[in-house]
Amino acid sequence: MFPKWQSPSMWAEDGENFFHFADTNGLRSLAIPIQGSMHVVPRLVMYIATFFPIEKAVYFPLTVSALVFTCAISKFISNDYSHLFPSRFARLFFVLALFAIPGQNESLGNLGNIHWYLTLFCVFTLVKRVNKPFTLFEFFFWVFSVGSCGELIVF
């Protein structure tokens, strides 16, 4: 389903900017904005990837991107969202439908698009049940989202 796993590569800014900056500047690369955004999560992931041999390093961002996407959308299956869709099956179907959106093959392995998944998670936290407290996990997702790109300026 996801050919990026069959022939992995670093997509566009993942290799050209994030990996290259991390490889040449180390942790200082986290403080260099690209087109006005800090991209904290992709840069941190690529910094860690520099510790792997290059042939293995390409799998690290693919894995992290897929995990962040899965964490972001799987949140919606929980009962915190039963007021929107009472049926857990309907929530699961909605989440699975997100995997089928055209273009997901590209974006699931691309750290340059990870801010969209982080933003989606933040939107989900805004519409969960009012009586549910904001968790530490959700707080960290918000921090990474705000630090990664500017979409949350809308909120």
Side-chain angles (χ1 to χ4, degrees), residues 32-93:
I32 304 168
I34 297 175
Q35 298 176 355
S37 296
M38 296 310 291
H39 300 283
V40 174
V41 174
R43 288 169 175 242
L44 193 56
V45 168
M46 286 304 195
Y47 173 72
I48 294 168
T50 63
F51 292 99
F52 294 99
I54 191 68
E55 62 274 1
K56 303 285 186 216
V58 292
Y59 288 100
F60 190 67
L62 287 172
T63 304
V64 170
S65 179
L67 285 173
V68 168
F69 179 72
T70 302
C71 285
I73 66 170
S74 66
K75 178 85 173 129
F76 194 71
I77 298 170
S78 78
N79 286 332
D80 292 350
Y81 301 92
S82 61
H83 64 291
L84 299 173
F85 293 105
S87 166
R88 184 178 289 259
F89 178 77
R91 294 191 307 273
L92 175 63
F93 182 78

Side-chain angles (χ1 to χ4, degrees), residues 9-47:
S9 63
M10 290 188 194
W11 188 268
E13 61 274 356
D14 288 357
E16 184 180 328
N17 294 329
F18 305 144
F19 189 80
H20 174 70
F21 282 20
D23 195 39
T24 57
N25 298 309
L27 280 175
R28 288 185 315 217
S29 66
L30 293 172
I32 304 168
I34 297 175
Q35 298 176 355
S37 296
M38 296 310 291
H39 300 283
V40 174
V41 174
R43 288 169 175 242
L44 193 56
V45 168
M46 286 304 195
Y47 173 72

